[in-house]
Every structure is written in structure tokens, then in C-alpha cells.
Amino acid sequence: MKEITDIIKAYQKATKDRKKTALATVVKVEGSSYRRPGARMLITEDGQLTGAISGGCLEGDALRKALSAIVQQENKLITYDTTDEDDAKFGVQLGCNGIVHILFEPIIEEDQLNPIAILTTLQAKREDAVLAILFNLNGKQQLGTSMLFKKDTILSKTPKEIEEDIINDAREVFANKTTTFKVYPYGDQEIDAFIELIHPPVSLIVAGAGNDAQPLAEMAYLLGWEVSIIDGRPTHATTQRFANATKIVVSKPDNVLSQVDIDEQTAFVLMTHNYNYDLELLKYLLNTNAPYIGTLGPKKKLIRMLEELHLATPENKTRIYGPIGLDIGAETAEEIAISILAEIKSVFTGASAIFLKEKKNPIHVYGLTNN
């Protein structure tokens, strides 16, 4: 989501400066690639790039293709084949070994359903959404970003003959929480569809405004997460100490939950270094559906807290991440922040958090199916 947010900001600036733009989106990958389907990059007519569609090996040529799309005012699908080891043009620098299909869409400001307008609507509210991007691997007609499906909203410029099928498939993606690819008959040809599930950014709620919470909050902000700081001390929970926090709440534990929202992308971290504050807040959190609760400190502290609350059930012991973080040998506040953020990321993506060199399957497989 951070990439989308950055792209929208860059587009708004480009529009203000009267610069024409195009959006490049990776819509399909065969084999290995640095970025996967859903990677996006905004290109302005003077060559400014926001986002990324590769590790840098494709961006130069992508700029030329984007300028062509802007001049001709039509969508273009470009295929980059990096499987040929003798081809020094693309991918060799990074050892890529795949075929990458990238859709270039010129942004027409007058079009109320242009790709950026759709992405802006997607970003406006914290909820899951599904995007349908239509392209043709074997033809010239590239329909592009054509539908936004949300729980109570559908924006569509999809051809009527396939719109109902796409809505049904988008509804299935929304329900199953799994991105997919589809192919639809369209006239005398076929249209490919990348139907992408997009989650809102992680909402990180940090209970504790001590010095060790500052690098955690700052690193989470750099990831594009929404950060809330909760503490009972008005001298610590301030905008001066947490300049990039979305929300700062000075509150006793019994009033915290009335001042924050919990959804499927919410992570709570208890690090107040105040045992009684953490204890009371944990009591309330265990009655919520918060998908991630982590506690700083040793395991015996967590067990003691659960026992005092008479909630030391196997389910609660499994549910709470304590001690919080991955085992990376962290010592400093900054290193501990990395450990915590990595664990939260792995929980929300369903990743194993093992060494990548030990992974048997492709690296990028989370939330993606091919059928």
C-alpha cells in the first residue's frame, strides 16, 4: 500500500505542475522476477519515477515505453524476457530468469475512472479491496485498470459482456483473500485479468512511548504502516517525540480501546515497561479480535500476567507473541524494532520467517493463485 500512496502523492504533484504521466503495472510474471504482479510505478513525461517494477534493470526501457503511451494516449502491454542468459539488455545484472508483462496506462485526468482515480478511491478507507486489470497477451487491445470492488462499492468501466463474470470472480477473491488470474472470452478473442486483493496498510498500535518505542514507530512509518502511540504519560506521548504517528493517545488502559480501531490488519505491541499498565491493557485486548498482540519482555512475565488474569489458557499462550520479535540477536532499540517489525510482517503475510536460502518454494507466493 505504501507504493500506491507514494504514487498518488507523486501524481498529485505532477498534475499541479501540469506534467503528463503514465502508470506501469506488473500484471503477470512467468519464472523469476525481482517484483511480482501488482508492483507499480508512476512515470512523468520528464522522467521522474515513483515506485518500482524491477530492481532497476527494466526502468530505463520502461521510461521510453511510458513516454510512447503518453504521446499516443493508449495503453500498451510490453513483455520483457530475461530468460536468455546471452541477452545483455535486461535482467542479467540481477540474475533474473523470467518473463515479465508490464502494462503502461497513460493517465487521462478528465477520465473519472482513470487508474489513479481508482487507486485514490481504494486508499480512501481502511478496508480490503479488489482491483481488476484487463490485458491481452496476444492482441493490441489493452483495457487496463477496469474495476474496483469493495464491500459496498463497485467502480467499473469493464465491457458489459464480461462485467458480471469479473464481479463474481472479484467477490470470490474478496471472500477467499487470495489474488488470482482469469481468462475471459471477449468477442473473437480472450482477455486476461489480474484480479488483485489489496489490504489496507498495517495499523501498528504501540502501547508505550519510551525511547525504545521511537525507532519502532519511525521504522513502521517508513514501511508505510499507520502508527498509533498509546501511553498514560502526557510528557512522553507527544508529537515532538513521535512526529510521524497517525494518532497519539494519552489514556488509562480502560479507555484505550474506545479510542482506536481494530481490524484484520491491526497489530498491538505492549512495551510500556509498566507491568500494571500492560497487565490491564492485555485483559481488554484478549477480548478483542486483534490478529496480533505482542509483549516485550521475558516469557515468564507473560505467563505471570496471564495467570494473574486467570487467562493462562493454551489458546492465549499461543495467541500472544511473547517474547515479541524474531530471533536475530537484537540488542539495541533499533535492532529490536527490526525484530518486531519482521515478526509482524511474517504473521500478516503467513510467511515462515526462515532463511530464504532454505526455502524450497518460490519466494513470492503469498496470497496468489494461478487458475
Side-chain angles (χ1 to χ4, degrees):
M1 182 61 81
K2 182 180 187 299
E3 190 165 66
I4 291 176
T5 300
D6 291 344
I7 283 172
I8 291 172
K9 290 180 180 177
Y11 173 75
Q12 292 170 343
K13 184 178 186 304
T15 301
K16 183 179 179 180
D17 296 339
R18 299 185 180 278
K19 296 178 183 177
K20 295 180 180 179
T21 59
L23 181 68
T25 305
V26 178
V27 292
K28 190 170 184 178
V29 170
E30 302 164 53
S32 176
S33 175
Y34 187 83
R35 297 299 305 272
R36 304 302 293 174
R40 292 176 172 83
M41 182 173 71
L42 186 78
I43 303 103
T44 65
E45 61 182 331
D46 61 346
Q48 296 182 27
L49 310 178
T50 303
I53 52 172
S54 76
C57 54
L58 303 180
E59 270 69 3
D61 189 73
L63 172 58
R64 291 187 286 273
K65 297 300 190 295
L67 293 177
S68 174
I70 290 172
V71 170
Q72 298 180 27
Q73 289 290 281
E74 66 177 21
N75 297 343
K76 293 181 177 293
L77 183 74
I78 305 299
T79 298
Y80 296 95
D81 187 347
T82 66
T83 59
D84 186 353
E85 293 184 358
D86 293 329
D87 186 354
K89 289 177 65 179
F90 308 117
V92 176
Q93 302 95 317
L94 295 176
C96 298
N97 190 30
I99 300 173
V100 185
H101 304 277
I102 299 176
L103 181 67
F104 294 87
E105 300 175 86
I107 308 303
I108 302 172
E109 188 176 358
E110 295 74 24
D111 179 6
Q112 295 183 349
L113 290 181
N114 69 56
I116 299 297
I118 290 177
L119 291 178
T120 302
T121 302
L122 177 152
Q123 187 203 41
K125 188 177 179 181
R126 278 192 61 84
E127 60 181 345
D128 285 348
V130 177
L131 281 180
I133 304 176
L134 306 181
F135 57 99
N136 190 331
L137 292 176
N138 301 308
K140 291 185 177 181
Q141 190 173 27
Q142 310 298 337
L143 299 179
T145 304
S146 300
M147 182 182 293
L148 170 65
F149 180 95
K150 303 178 81 170
K151 184 169 59 176
D152 55 1
T153 304
I154 298 178
L155 299 180
S156 176
K157 56 179 180 180
T158 307
K160 293 300 180 183
E161 53 264 50
I162 58 175
E163 185 175 57
E164 185 176 350
D165 289 336
I166 295 177
I167 289 175
N168 289 335
D169 288 330
R171 187 175 287 115
E172 184 175 344
V173 165
F174 192 89
N176 295 337
K177 308 296 185 187
T178 305
T179 291
T180 191
F181 297 90
K182 295 287 183 178
V183 178
Y184 304 99
Y186 181 57
D188 59 352
Q189 57 183 322
E190 291 183 332
I191 288 289
D192 294 85
F194 170 43
I195 306 180
E196 179 187 14
L197 175 70
I198 299 180
H199 294 295
V202 172
S203 172
L204 177 65
I205 302 177
V206 182
N211 292 343
D212 56 347
Q214 290 178 295
L216 177 64
E218 191 63 24
M219 291 181 190
Y221 167 76
L222 292 175
L223 291 174
W225 297 5
E226 296 179 0
V227 181
S228 298
I229 302 297
I230 311 293
D231 203 291
R233 301 167 294 179
T235 55
H236 287 64
T238 66
T239 55
Q240 288 73 28
R241 288 169 55 80
F242 297 93
N244 291 314
T246 304
K247 178 183 288 188
I248 296 178
V249 176
V250 179
S251 173
K252 294 180 179 180
D254 57 350
N255 289 324
V256 166
L257 297 187
S258 65
Q259 302 183 68
V260 296
D261 296 319
I262 299 174
D263 57 31
E264 294 179 348
Q265 290 287 104
T266 300
F268 270 92
V269 174
L270 303 182
M271 53 187 305
T272 66
H273 301 284
N274 181 323
Y275 181 85
N276 292 326
Y277 193 105
D278 284 353
L279 178 68
E280 190 173 355
L281 184 52
L282 180 61
K283 176 180 67 175
Y284 295 114
L285 286 176
L286 288 172
N287 290 322
T288 72
N289 61 350
Y292 181 97
I293 303 171
T295 62
L296 194 69
K299 186 83 171 180
K300 61 183 180 181
K301 172 192 171 185
L302 172 59
I303 294 174
R304 177 187 167 191
M305 293 169 72
L306 291 174
E307 289 176 345
E308 286 191 30
L309 295 171
H310 303 291
L311 294 172
T313 64
E315 180 183 359
N316 283 336
K317 290 179 181 178
T318 301
R319 179 186 178 190
I320 301 170
Y321 294 83
I324 193 172
L326 299 182
D327 182 10
I328 60 172
E331 293 288 344
T332 67
E334 291 77 10
E335 292 169 350
I336 292 170
I338 292 172
S339 169
I340 293 172
L341 295 173
E343 180 178 74
I344 294 171
K345 176 65 177 178
S346 69
V347 169
F348 282 128
T349 58
S352 63
I354 64 173
F355 293 129
L356 287 178
K357 69 177 183 178
E358 297 176 359
K359 191 174 176 65
K360 305 301 181 184
N361 297 319
I363 295 173
H364 303 285
V365 294
Y366 309 110
L368 190 63
T369 63
N370 242 321
N371 53 38

